[in-house]
Amino acid sequence: LEHRNSTALICKRQDLPRMANTTRAPSADPAPDQPSEGYRTLLGLISHEYFHTWNVKRLRPVEFAQHDYGQENYTQLLWFFEGFTSYYDDLLLRRAHLIDDAAYLKLLTKTINQVLQTPGRAVQSVAQASMDAWVKYYRQDENTPNATVSYYTKGSLVALCLDLTLRQEGKTSLDAVMRALWLRCQGGPMTEGDLLAVLQALGGRSFALEIAQWVHGTTDLPLRPLLAAQGVKVLEEPAQLAQRLGLRVTETAGVQIKIVLRGGAAEQAGLAAGDEWLGLEVGPAKSISAWRINKLDDLLLYAANASKVCALVARDKRLLKLPLALPKSITTWRLAARDSQLIGQWLNGS
Ligand SMILES: [Zn+2]
């Protein structure tokens, strides 16, 4: 958001709805009254930047009170300014009835899985990620997911956890906290201490422990119990093959390994970013067969139910054979509505 009273946002032409029906989704979409994915993403971006009018342009880190555009400006608070704005961007689409509960839970599922699939969340806190924005966030490389966490996505989940905790304790909500923070800081510079003071005043207790663990710590957020208490059940489903192996690849010219995630099967096998995955050997010792793969899912074709294969990869000028386990137990989350009344209270902001 460049200005307090205007901004320029870019989207693809086909993301925009057609004049005849402003929200119609492609016919394959199971919910025809919901916006298409492209249009919903644009609405989310508009919502995000609009929220920044209050949260970043007015309420802002005390370090940004006087902007010096000639040098880097460091702050620990981007988990609040970008993260909480990210929490509200999709939530406000739901409150405006542009999307329904199911669509909102789907978006939340995506954010949660993004964080859970980032090993760097166990290494870096969102406060550290914020400080590193100038040197790391906008200079990503193959080690980024292993060494860093996004203050956007995890920051939005910190907001979610705070909101659900406040609601479940029954004294206040994050909406009220944001308004009180605005009044306390007169829509101007703020510190983490201001947030803690408002949480204490409205929530009736100290939230120092939560902020220490969720913002300055690296243990996982208590998403499952907080969502359950709000009527949302967490279901676990088998992950995509790349996630099961702990890999990110491109497949436009063969299978090129871009990222090897910390602690995954690919890392254990010795695969590395920059490798080209050519094929695999599979089968018992007496009758091994070798196969070429052009995309990652070809692996499933040839490996069938094998729990182990041998990956054939090209690394610079060498060809390598790397024994690779195919783990089955890696899962991703899906959120399912269990109590629509509880969910409605939260999503309607009542
Ligand atoms: Zn933003």
Side-chain angles (χ1 to χ4, degrees):
L1 184 73
E2 305 88 353
H3 310 290
R4 279 190 191 173
N5 59 1
S6 71
T7 189
L9 304 174
I10 297 171
C11 74
K12 290 185 193 147
R13 180 192 301 248
Q14 58 264 37
D15 288 347
L16 296 170
R18 304 205 173 200
M19 290 298 285
N21 183 335
T22 52
T23 60
R24 174 169 290 174
S27 55
D29 197 304
D33 61 328
Q34 296 292 298
S36 71
E37 191 179 339
Y39 187 45
R40 196 204 54 227
T41 301
L42 174 63
L43 291 173
L45 178 61
I46 292 169
S47 174
H48 182 96
E49 302 303 335
Y50 191 52
F51 198 82
H52 271 328
T53 317
W54 289 270
N55 198 38
V56 133
K57 276 304 198 191
R58 294 288 307 273
L59 266 185
R60 59 189 182 276
V62 72
E63 295 88 349
F64 294 1
Q66 298 296 327
H67 283 289
D68 178 357
Y69 290 111
Q71 61 176 7
E72 298 169 349
N73 294 286
Y74 289 91
T75 174
Q76 283 204 358
L77 280 175
L78 294 181
W79 58 270
F80 178 82
F81 288 98
E82 289 301 350
F84 282 42
T85 299
S86 296
Y87 175 57
Y88 275 105
D89 60 23
D90 288 338
L91 186 57
L92 292 178
L93 296 187
R94 163 58 188 76
R95 287 209 187 145
H97 298 288
L98 290 163
I99 59 173
D100 61 18
D101 289 4
Y104 178 77
L105 290 181
K106 227 171 156 182
L107 290 171
L108 185 55
T109 301
K110 198 172 157 194
T111 305
I112 291 173
N113 281 326
Q114 279 173 351
V115 173
L116 292 180
Q117 291 169 6
T118 304
R121 76 187 192 284
V123 178
Q124 187 186 52
S125 70
V126 279
Q128 290 168 327
S130 174
M131 281 302 275
D132 281 356
W134 284 98
V135 287
K136 290 216 180 110
Y137 192 80
Y138 290 100
R139 294 172 198 174
Q140 304 213 349
D141 61 27
E142 76 273 5
N143 198 39
T144 297
N146 290 326
T148 69
V149 69
S150 162
Y151 49 79
Y152 284 87
T153 48
K154 189 182 168 188
S156 78
L157 298 183
V158 169
L160 169 73
C161 287
L162 264 182
D163 197 13
L164 296 185
T165 302
L166 294 169
R167 288 175 180 280
Q168 286 158 24
E169 291 182 5
K171 292 201 173 66
T172 187
S173 70
L174 193 60
D175 298 345
V177 165
M178 296 300 285
R179 283 191 288 265
L181 198 55
W182 175 269
L183 292 175
R184 178 186 167 93
C185 301
Q186 301 177 319
M190 66 162 269
T191 64
E192 189 178 298
D194 290 315
L195 175 63
L196 283 167
V198 169
L199 284 168
Q200 167 104 46
L202 272 66
R205 68 171 178 90
S206 167
F207 280 77
L209 190 65
E210 281 83 354
I211 295 298
Q213 287 180 342
W214 301 350
V215 171
H216 298 279
T218 55
T219 50
D220 277 336
L221 300 170
L223 291 164
R224 200 187 288 263
L226 287 171
L227 286 166
Q230 203 67 44
V232 181
K233 189 172 169 57
V234 174
L235 305 172
E236 295 198 37
E237 300 181 329
Q240 300 278 311
L241 183 59
Q243 191 56 34
R244 277 170 57 196
L245 296 175
L247 274 181
R248 310 254 167 99
V249 300
T250 61
E251 298 177 314
T252 43
V255 181
Q256 306 287 341
I257 297 178
K258 293 296 170 191
I259 287 168
V260 176
L261 297 175
R262 184 196 303 265
E267 186 195 57
Q268 256 166 3
L271 289 161
D275 287 351
E276 180 181 3
W277 194 341
L278 302 171
L280 71 148
E281 284 184 350
V282 64
K286 283 180 194 161
S287 58
I288 289 175
S289 55
W291 302 93
R292 178 85 167 100
I293 61 170
N294 295 306
K295 48 188 186 355
L296 198 58
D297 278 348
D298 289 349
L299 200 72
L300 298 172
L301 222 59
Y302 304 120
N305 288 320
S307 59
K308 252 188 153 179
V309 298
C310 200
L312 307 173
V313 306
R315 181 176 302 165
D316 299 325
K317 291 191 166 60
R318 302 184 60 204
L319 291 174
L320 305 174
K321 279 191 189 184
L322 303 171
L324 170 72
L326 300 178
K328 290 201 164 48
S329 59
I330 311 286
T331 58
T332 55
W333 282 24
R334 185 165 67 79
L335 303 181
R338 278 290 173 271
D339 185 330
S340 54
Q341 204 180 340
L342 278 176
I343 294 170
Q345 284 168 8
W346 158 41
L347 297 183
N348 290 321
S350 52

